[in-house]
């Protein structure tokens, strides 16, 4: 173990000399408290180290020991349903060891070394196996089967494989390699800053269904895609991410609270165990890993938390699962980069951020994707990354937002005015976009309704026309509009309030399937067409606005998923009400 001496302490950054054999990104133990740190710069034998714990009480002369390995995570059964900090220390274990407030140097293994797992072999003795092949399975939770894979860099003939109950550290298989026999257990280690290898990336062509109408209909994200949610404080970034984490049709969710306030992570901790996954009927926590790195923890640990989260996500993706990762928020991560860059006295870029900010953001988001995984199997896994961005004052021109938008394919721009009007999700339909739109339209047209994309384009066109009409109304009043334009304002109001607006706390409205979205939008536009027909035959706009069926349309969102016949009943009500008015005209 390489030992050096501290020469300088500057907050979370320390300098140590004498680390002749250390490398950049090696993990070090700082002082007698064994605080965890990581070398981020080497100049000769002088290392600059970012420390992931409070450095109070540490001074020049204290020892630093290099472990000789990069910052890595433990991967194996037992990660689901757990809550980790930014460097994968299990918070419930730390609480048992140190109480409610973390003490210096307290640590615990990320995976429980005592719990027994029932290992079922899949491979047979004598099989030739390569990295990524599945040796056996473990039931990690009632909804997720954990696949024990051959680690990267190992291949050969399977000499022995066991069956029964084992801890993660017990030997379960022996592989005869060209370098001798290799004993394997259920644990894999992986450096967090390095993406896990794959066979190939595939073009994503299937939507990640979130159950949020404004997202799924107008700005869909693909499974294996990337999306950003920029917005000012209080515009609903965290609630949107909570909704996606709860209801997206992903097999696994990794939720990273990176530098956010503690109460937001507390909401996740309180809500997720009680929420029932609509697909499995089990608690949502059965498929979720939480990484909590709140704003009162050391700045440096924020930077690690994002990489820890995406490495865990890649590991489950390699099993062939659809994984969704929420990063809330990447702005706090970028602030950690800025602080460490400043302490290293590097030349600053825009607004004090380091010049390499854009490349770090790109490196992170490019680890998402739909991939063909390693091994002789032909499995496909997806990793979708949805990152919140918190631009100061909602200024979308600031460096973190701009660097993110150059990389991600979906932009859900949150609007403070909409959130002030209690319109949730406060995603502005005029400024947001999705570059996956054409592929997602094709998928939905083939699998839900061949008219869906046509309706979506028509609804978006009406919303765009509405903004021009509202300018006219502000200048000369609504009475100056033609009856056709007044009707257009009525239907866009219905699209905004009855379709795009959604109540996250209502049992029925919190989630909306694609099938229900199709029926709702179809009915709103059908009513508009029938009203246009009535106007052309002499019916007055006031008569159309006074129809009782308008109340039924405003309550479409409250129709349960099972009660699909109600949509046909409302369609019949529209037909009879309009026919009656036309006869009387």
């Amino acid at each position: 173990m390489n030992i050096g001496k501290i020469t300088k302490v500057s907050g979370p950054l320390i300098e140590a000399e004498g680390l002749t054999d250390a490398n950049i990104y090696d993990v070090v133990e700082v002082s007698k408290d064994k605080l965890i740190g990581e070398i981020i710069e080497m100049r000769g034998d002088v290392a600059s180290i970012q420390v992931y714990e409070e450095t109070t009480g540490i001074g020049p002369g204290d020892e630093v020991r290099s472990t000789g390995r990069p910052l890595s995570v433990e991967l194996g059964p037992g990660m689901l349903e757990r809550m980790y900090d930014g460097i994968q220390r299990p918070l419930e274990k730390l609480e048992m060891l140190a109480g409610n407030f973390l003490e210096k140097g307290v640590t615990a293994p990320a995976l429980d070394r005592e719990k027994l797992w029932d290992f079922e072999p899949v491979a047979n003795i004598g099989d030739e196996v390569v990295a990524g092949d599945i040796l056996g399975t473990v039931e990690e939770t009632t909804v997720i089967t954990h696949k024990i894979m051959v680690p990267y860099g190992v291949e050969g003939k399977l000499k022995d494989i066991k069956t029964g109950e084992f801890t993660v550290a017990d030997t379960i298989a022996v592989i005869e390699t060209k370098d001798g026999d290799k004993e394997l257990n259920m644990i894999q280690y992986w450096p967090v800053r390095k993406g896990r290898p794959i066979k190939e990336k595939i073009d994503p062509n299937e939507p990640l269904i979130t159950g949020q109408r404004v997202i799924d209909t107008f700005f869909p994200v693909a499974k294996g895609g990337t999306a950003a949610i920029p917005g000012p404080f209080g515009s609903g970034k965290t609630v949107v991410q909570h909704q996606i984490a709860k209801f997206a049709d992903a097999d696994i969710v990794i939720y990273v609270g990176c530098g956010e306030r503690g109460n937001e992570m507390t909401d996740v901790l309180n809500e997720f165990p009680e929420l029932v996954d609509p697909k499995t009927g089990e608690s949502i926590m059965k498929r979720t890993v939480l990484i909590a790195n709140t704003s009162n923890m050391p700045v440096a640990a924020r930077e690690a938390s994002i990489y820890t989260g995406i490495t865990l996500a890649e590991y489950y993706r390699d099993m062939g699962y659809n994984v969704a990762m929420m990063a809330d928020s990447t702005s706090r991560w970028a602030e950690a980069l800025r602080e460490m860059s400043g302490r290293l006295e590097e030349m600053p870029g825009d607004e004090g951020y380091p010049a390499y900010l854009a490349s770090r953001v790109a490196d992170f988001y490019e680890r998402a994707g739909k991939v063909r995984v390693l091994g002789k199997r032909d499995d496909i896994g997806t990793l979708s990354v949805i990152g919140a961005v918190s631009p100061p004052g909602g200024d979308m021109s600031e460096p973190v937002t701009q660097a993110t938008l150059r990389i991600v394919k979906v932009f859900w721009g949150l609007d403070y005015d909409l959130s002030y009007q209690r319109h949730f999700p406060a995603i502005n339909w005029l400024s947001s976009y999705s570059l996956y739109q054409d592929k997602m339209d094709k998928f939905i047209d083939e699998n839900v309704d061949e008219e869906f994309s046509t309706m979506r384009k028509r609804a978006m066109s009406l919303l765009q026309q509405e903004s021009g009409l509202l300018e006219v109304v502000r200048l000369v009043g609504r009475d100056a509009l033609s009856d056709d334009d007044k009707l257009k304002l009525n239907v866009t109001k219905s699209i905004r309030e009855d379709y795009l607006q959604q109540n996250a706390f209502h049992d029925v409205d919190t989630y909306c399937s694609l099938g229900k979205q199709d029926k709702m939008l179809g009915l709103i536009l059908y009513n508009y067409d029938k009203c246009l027909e009535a106007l052309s035959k002499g019916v007055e706009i006031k008569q159309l606005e006074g129809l009782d069926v308008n109340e039924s349309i405003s309550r479409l969102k409250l129709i349960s998923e099972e009660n699909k016949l109600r949509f046909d009943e409302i369609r019949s009500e529209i037909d009879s009400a309009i026919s009656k008015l036309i006869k009387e005209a």
Side-chain angles (χ1 to χ4, degrees):
M1 200 179 251
N2 199 357
I3 300 176
K5 297 279 185 190
I6 294 175
T7 56
K8 175 184 170 184
V9 179
S10 173
L13 180 76
I14 66 171
E15 280 188 4
E17 62 182 14
L19 294 168
T20 48
D21 295 332
N23 296 307
I24 199 162
Y25 295 137
D26 277 2
V27 171
V28 296
E29 294 175 351
V30 179
S31 81
K32 64 180 186 302
D33 293 327
K34 294 190 175 180
L35 307 187
I36 296 170
E38 184 183 19
I39 298 173
I40 54 174
E41 187 179 82
M42 288 290 294
R43 292 178 183 170
D45 70 340
V46 177
S48 296
I49 299 163
Q50 63 179 2
V51 183
Y52 293 126
E53 298 182 67
E54 186 59 55
T55 56
T56 308
I58 292 170
D62 286 354
E63 280 190 352
V64 173
R65 293 171 176 264
S66 170
T67 61
R69 64 175 189 273
L71 182 66
S72 302
V73 287
E74 286 185 355
L75 304 168
M79 294 190 295
L80 294 177
E81 298 186 90
R82 298 197 88 173
M83 188 173 193
Y84 294 108
D85 73 353
I87 48 177
Q88 212 203 6
R89 295 181 299 181
L91 291 180
E92 69 269 25
K93 287 279 187 187
L94 299 190
E95 186 182 17
M96 287 166 57
L97 292 169
N100 291 338
F101 296 95
L102 296 185
E103 294 177 6
K104 287 184 187 178
V106 174
T107 189
L111 300 178
D112 191 332
R113 296 295 196 271
E114 295 172 8
K115 184 170 180 178
L116 292 171
W117 298 96
D118 192 8
F119 177 75
E120 284 284 333
V122 171
N124 299 308
I125 293 172
D127 287 355
E128 289 288 339
V129 293
V130 297
D133 282 348
I134 296 170
L135 294 172
T137 60
V138 160
E139 191 176 290
E140 185 167 3
T141 67
T142 49
V143 298
I144 296 296
T145 299
H146 193 108
K147 298 168 186 175
I148 308 298
M149 298 173 288
V150 177
Y152 184 65
V154 176
E155 61 177 277
K157 185 185 284 188
L158 190 57
K159 192 174 179 181
D160 185 29
I161 190 163
K162 298 177 181 176
T163 183
E165 292 194 336
F166 305 97
T167 67
V168 288
D170 291 338
T171 299
I172 53 156
V174 179
I175 294 178
E176 190 181 311
T177 71
K178 60 184 178 185
D179 300 321
D181 288 357
K182 177 85 174 172
E183 293 186 349
L184 299 181
N185 56 26
M186 299 189 211
I187 306 174
Q188 288 192 26
Y189 295 91
W190 194 263
V192 296
R193 295 179 188 277
K194 181 182 174 187
R196 284 176 64 87
I198 56 170
K199 269 187 198 165
E200 64 171 322
K201 270 201 173 180
I202 304 168
D203 205 18
N205 58 1
E206 187 180 339
L208 180 73
I209 308 301
T210 65
Q212 311 305 298
R213 289 185 289 270
V214 65
I215 293 174
D216 293 342
T217 301
F218 291 108
F219 313 110
V221 62
K223 280 182 180 171
T226 52
I229 320 177
F233 174 78
S235 58
K237 296 183 295 294
T238 300
V239 186
V240 171
Q241 284 203 316
H242 284 195
Q243 286 295 96
I244 296 170
K246 290 172 192 173
F247 299 115
D249 65 337
D251 302 313
I252 310 276
V253 172
I254 312 288
Y255 191 98
V256 182
C258 173
E260 289 302 298
R261 286 161 295 284
N263 60 321
E264 294 180 353
M265 288 309 294
T266 305
D267 282 347
V268 175
L269 268 179
N270 289 337
E271 286 179 19
F272 278 34
E274 294 174 7
L275 286 166
V276 174
D277 186 342
K279 294 195 298 291
T280 62
E282 296 276 356
S283 165
I284 280 175
M285 280 303 291
K286 299 277 186 194
R287 60 179 178 89
T288 304
V289 183
L290 300 178
I291 296 174
N293 191 259
T294 50
S295 48
N296 62 338
M297 295 176 84
V299 165
R302 295 183 198 173
E303 204 230 345
S305 63
I306 289 283
Y307 292 113
T308 299
I310 201 157
T311 307
L312 265 59
E314 285 178 331
Y315 176 65
Y316 283 107
R317 174 209 67 193
D318 289 349
M319 295 181 199
Y321 287 122
N322 297 311
V323 185
M325 176 183 166
M326 314 292 146
D328 186 15
S329 99
T330 53
S331 292
R332 310 279 176 259
W333 168 58
E335 284 165 10
L337 287 177
R338 178 167 64 181
E339 174 158 343
M340 298 312 293
S341 175
R343 291 184 185 277
L344 286 168
E345 299 175 9
E346 294 173 339
M347 184 69 74
D350 291 348
E351 296 188 22
Y353 287 101
Y356 48 78
L357 172 69
S359 67
R360 290 283 177 91
V361 171
D363 285 347
F364 166 66
Y365 280 104
E366 283 171 0
R367 288 172 72 170
K370 181 176 184 180
V371 306
R372 204 175 301 281
V373 301
L374 288 182
K376 292 173 183 170
R377 57 204 169 106
D378 199 34
D379 289 359
I380 288 173
T382 65
L383 169 51
S384 315
V385 176
I386 296 159
V389 186
S390 310
D395 175 18
M396 299 291 181
S397 65
E398 60 91 38
V400 183
T401 308
Q402 288 303 308
T404 304
L405 293 185
R406 280 197 287 271
I407 296 298
V408 300
K409 296 282 178 36
V410 181
F411 168 56
W412 296 322
L414 295 178
D415 189 313
Y416 186 75
D417 291 338
L418 281 175
S419 65
Y420 189 74
Q421 296 163 24
R422 299 294 184 267
H423 180 110
F424 175 84
I427 294 172
N428 188 311
W429 47 86
L430 298 178
S431 61
S432 302
Y433 61 81
S434 170
L435 299 182
Y436 299 115
Q437 190 74 70
D438 291 343
K439 290 174 193 161
M440 301 307 107
D441 279 351
K442 184 181 177 188
F443 179 90
I444 295 171
D445 285 354
E446 288 173 359
N447 292 276
V448 179
D449 178 0
E450 60 186 19
E451 293 295 316
F452 190 87
S453 63
T454 307
M455 293 192 300
R456 177 195 64 75
K457 288 170 187 169
R458 190 177 174 208
M460 181 54 75
S461 174
L462 287 167
L463 289 168
Q464 288 165 342
Q465 291 171 52
E466 179 197 36
S467 63
L469 291 173
L470 289 175
E471 285 295 319
V472 175
V473 170
R474 286 190 197 100
L475 290 171
V476 294
R478 184 183 167 91
D479 292 340
L481 297 178
S482 67
D483 282 355
D484 279 5
D485 285 343
K486 286 177 184 174
L487 183 61
K488 199 171 283 180
L489 285 181
N490 288 345
V491 71
T492 52
K493 182 173 185 283
S494 180
I495 293 170
R496 285 189 288 105
E497 296 182 2
D498 305 334
Y499 189 76
L500 297 182
Q501 195 169 352
Q502 209 162 335
N503 186 345
F505 298 104
H506 191 281
D507 288 346
V508 173
D509 197 30
T510 187
Y511 173 84
C512 187
S513 67
L514 270 183
K516 183 178 170 184
Q517 291 178 41
D518 174 54
K519 288 184 179 296
M520 285 177 67
L521 189 59
L523 211 48
I524 290 168
L525 294 175
Y526 181 75
N527 184 48
Y528 175 55
D529 288 336
K530 297 300 284 186
C531 289
L532 278 175
E533 182 189 332
L535 279 181
S536 68
K537 293 185 178 174
V539 178
E540 292 184 6
I541 185 75
K542 285 182 180 175
Q543 291 177 288
L544 294 170
E545 289 172 345
L547 288 174
D548 291 339
V549 76
N550 292 334
E551 176 67 20
S552 298
I553 289 171
S554 70
R555 299 178 69 82
L556 287 176
K557 60 175 77 173
L558 304 182
I559 298 172
S560 68
E561 295 283 343
E562 295 78 30
N563 191 14
K564 296 286 173 66
L565 290 174
R566 177 66 184 135
F567 291 98
D568 297 330
E569 291 170 9
I570 294 171
R571 188 176 287 255
S572 300
E573 288 174 30
I574 293 168
D575 287 338
S576 58
I578 299 291
S579 299
K580 186 179 176 185
L581 287 179
I582 291 172
K583 283 177 186 173
E584 292 171 356

